[in-house]
């Protein structure tokens, strides 16, 4: 039985990243191509490419998590966060540049990421952790740092555009867009420095040294192997997403799906966040809630701090318009989620009731996607 599990693990961890990169290079070189003329929905190769990308996401993040356990906190969490954000940026930029102009896709994806993290993932972590351990303690300094960065980035990038005067509602002028992108990079960079050096202890779980202990058993060859496979997987995902983006948008266009940007944005965020969400929930069940929050909230901060500047650069270079300002309903949901997070983490202790309050907002968010 253990041998069969080892074979399946090797197939998942080693073959998928290589297969994804090989297929991506085949499309890039012209060895494989798809003629979609006359096809009603996604071509067969499109479906296979989508399935391979989704599978490789999990394989790549499995390698990222292995590195995370070996290098210890908080560096391990940053490896996982950067891997996820790289995948999300590649997908958003590829879909932005495919076909006609799609100015709201980045906004919907980033908004969905923040809502899924702050209400869905955090809600599940707090609910399950509270159900198993009754009460869980967190470091208020660390969570306050996460929330201060998250609030600053979300308001600057998704609410402020509705109140500027140079351009229309929801948009920045090129100078404003470049300036806000620079501010986002600087703020997120300062946060990463604080998390890894200046305020490192504020983000560590008290009494849980398992992740640090694993560092002593790490070997350079093991870390190097995981790192190589992680880079191979990310490279394949980034290159193959252009093909996937074409198929998804053609399929949605044929089906004439309403609210397609909101649905696609939520789908991208959900798929990309799923491995991180699982890691955060597992940490909460082990009574390592601070590590779970580091993973969840860190992904939300990185999404804005890295994705917005990337799509802004793509917009400025290609001349395609970019709409970042949220509508009034989404603005209310975003502010409610952020306010709930501030209240929930303000005492330094969470319970199952705290988690249920977050989940209520998440259910409302999902409902308003289906019935806007």
């Amino acid at each position: 039985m253990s041998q069969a599990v080892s074979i399946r693990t090797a197939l998942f961890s080693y073959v998928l990243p290589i297969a994804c990169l090989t297929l991506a290079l085949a499309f890039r070189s012209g060895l494989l191509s798809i003629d979609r003329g006359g096809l009603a929905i996604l071509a067969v190769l499109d479906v296979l490419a989508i399935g391979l990308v989704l599978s490789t996401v999990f394989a790549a993040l499995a390698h990222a998590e292995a590195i995370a356990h070996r290098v210890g906190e908080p560096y391990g969490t940053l490896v996982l966060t950067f891997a996820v954000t790289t995948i999300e940026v590649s997908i958003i930029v590829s879909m932005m540049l495919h076909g006609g102009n799609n100015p709201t896709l980045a906004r919907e994806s980033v908004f969905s990421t923040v809502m899924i993290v702050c209400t869905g993932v955090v809600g599940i972590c707090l609910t399950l952790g509270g159900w198993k351990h009754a009460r869980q303690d967190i470091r208020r300094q660390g969570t306050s740092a996460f929330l201060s960065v998250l609030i600053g980035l979300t308001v600057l990038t998704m609410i402020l555009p509705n109140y500027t005067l140079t351009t229309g509602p929801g948009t920045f002028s090129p100078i404003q867009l470049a300036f806000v992108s620079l501010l986002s990079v600087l703020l997120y960079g300062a946060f990463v420095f604080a998390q890894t050096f200046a305020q490192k202890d504020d983000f560590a779980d008290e009494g849980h040294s398992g992740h640090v202990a694993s560092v002593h058993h790490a070997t350079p060859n093991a870390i190097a192997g995981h790192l190589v496979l992680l880079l191979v997987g990310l490279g394949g995902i980034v290159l193959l997403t252009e093909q996937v983006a074409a198929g998804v948008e053609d399929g949605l266009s044929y089906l004439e799906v309403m609210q397609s940007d909101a649905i696609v944005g939520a789908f991208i965020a959900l798929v990309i966040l799923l491995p991180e969400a699982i890691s955060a929930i597992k940490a909460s069940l082990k009574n390592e809630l601070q590590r779970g929050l580091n993973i969840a909230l860190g992904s939300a901060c990185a999404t804005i701090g890295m994705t917005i500047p990337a799509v802004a650069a793509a917009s400025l270079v290609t001349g395609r318009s970019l709409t970042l300002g949220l509508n009034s309903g989404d603005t209310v949901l975003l502010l409610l989620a952020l306010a709930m997070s501030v209240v929930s983490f303000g005492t330094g202790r969470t319970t199952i009731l705290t988690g249920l309050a977050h989940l209520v907002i998440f259910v409302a968010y999902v409902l308003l996607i289906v019935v806007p």
Side-chain angles (χ1 to χ4, degrees):
M1 180 66 70
S2 60
Q3 184 177 3
V5 172
S6 299
I7 294 175
R8 287 196 299 269
T9 302
L11 178 66
F12 175 78
S13 300
Y14 297 94
V15 175
L16 282 177
I18 297 174
C20 185
L21 182 59
T22 302
L23 184 61
L25 293 176
F27 278 118
R28 287 278 179 170
S29 63
L31 294 177
L32 288 177
S33 61
I34 295 178
D35 181 11
R36 294 190 179 86
L39 289 183
I41 52 176
L42 301 178
V44 174
L45 280 179
D46 276 328
V47 176
L48 293 177
I50 293 172
L52 185 57
V53 166
L54 297 180
S55 301
T56 308
V57 167
F58 283 90
L61 293 179
H63 289 292
E65 191 166 30
I67 297 173
H69 282 284
R70 292 181 181 275
V71 301
E73 295 297 329
Y75 308 106
T77 298
L78 289 175
V79 171
L80 191 60
T81 298
F82 287 149
V84 169
T85 307
T86 300
I87 296 171
E88 185 170 14
V89 168
S90 67
I91 294 175
I92 294 173
V93 172
S94 295
M95 296 193 73
M96 272 182 59
L97 301 180
H98 169 70
N101 191 26
N102 197 351
T104 61
L105 178 62
R107 177 193 70 186
E108 296 299 338
S109 180
V110 172
F111 170 68
S112 297
T113 298
V114 176
M115 291 301 299
I116 291 173
V117 167
C118 291
T119 61
V121 178
V122 169
I124 294 174
C125 287
L126 300 186
T127 301
L128 296 181
W131 172 72
K132 185 173 182 180
H133 304 286
R135 294 179 177 85
Q136 291 185 292
D137 293 326
I138 58 175
R139 288 185 177 268
R140 284 182 292 179
Q141 298 90 338
T143 51
S144 295
F146 274 116
L147 293 176
S148 63
V149 173
L150 191 57
I151 291 172
L153 290 175
T154 51
V155 172
L156 279 175
T157 57
M158 291 190 287
I159 297 180
L160 181 61
N162 291 324
Y163 299 96
T164 55
L165 303 178
T166 304
T167 57
T171 62
F172 282 130
S173 68
I175 293 178
Q176 292 171 337
L177 184 59
F179 183 67
V180 169
S181 299
L182 179 61
L183 290 179
S184 299
V185 171
L186 291 176
L187 181 56
Y188 183 67
F191 169 74
V192 171
F193 177 79
Q195 188 180 13
T196 53
F197 295 103
Q199 300 169 229
K200 182 177 178 181
D201 293 340
D202 292 344
F203 301 91
D205 256 309
E206 293 185 4
H208 296 287
S209 57
H211 301 291
V212 177
S214 64
V215 179
H216 300 296
H217 301 286
T219 62
N221 289 337
I223 296 178
H226 286 298
L227 181 60
V228 169
L229 288 169
L230 173 62
L231 294 176
V232 169
L234 291 179
I237 292 167
V238 170
L239 294 176
L240 197 56
T241 44
E242 182 177 348
Q243 181 64 42
V244 172
V248 170
E249 289 204 338
D250 289 346
L252 290 175
S253 176
Y254 174 82
L255 296 174
E256 299 180 352
V257 175
M258 295 182 62
Q259 299 289 329
S260 60
D261 282 353
I263 294 174
V264 172
F267 175 75
I268 292 173
L270 184 62
V271 170
I272 297 303
L273 287 172
L274 188 58
E276 274 197 326
I278 294 173
S279 297
I281 293 169
K282 286 181 178 178
S284 177
L285 289 173
K286 294 177 182 177
N287 204 21
E288 298 175 358
L289 180 59
Q290 185 62 54
R291 179 173 180 269
L293 293 179
N294 290 349
I295 295 173
L297 296 178
S299 65
C301 291
T303 294
I304 304 178
M306 297 172 64
T307 302
I308 293 296
V311 298
S315 173
L316 293 173
V317 170
T318 62
R320 298 196 176 200
S321 60
L322 184 64
T323 302
L324 294 177
L326 296 171
N327 59 43
S328 56
D330 289 344
T331 300
V332 171
L333 281 176
L334 177 63
L335 294 177
L336 180 59
L338 294 174
M340 181 64 69
S341 298
V342 171
V343 173
S344 299
F345 304 137
T347 63
R349 175 172 290 182
T350 64
T351 64
I352 187 172
L353 180 60
T354 314
L356 291 175
H358 284 260
L359 289 178
V360 166
I361 303 175
F362 177 70
V363 172
Y365 157 73
V366 174
L367 174 66
L368 292 176
I369 291 180
V370 180
V371 187

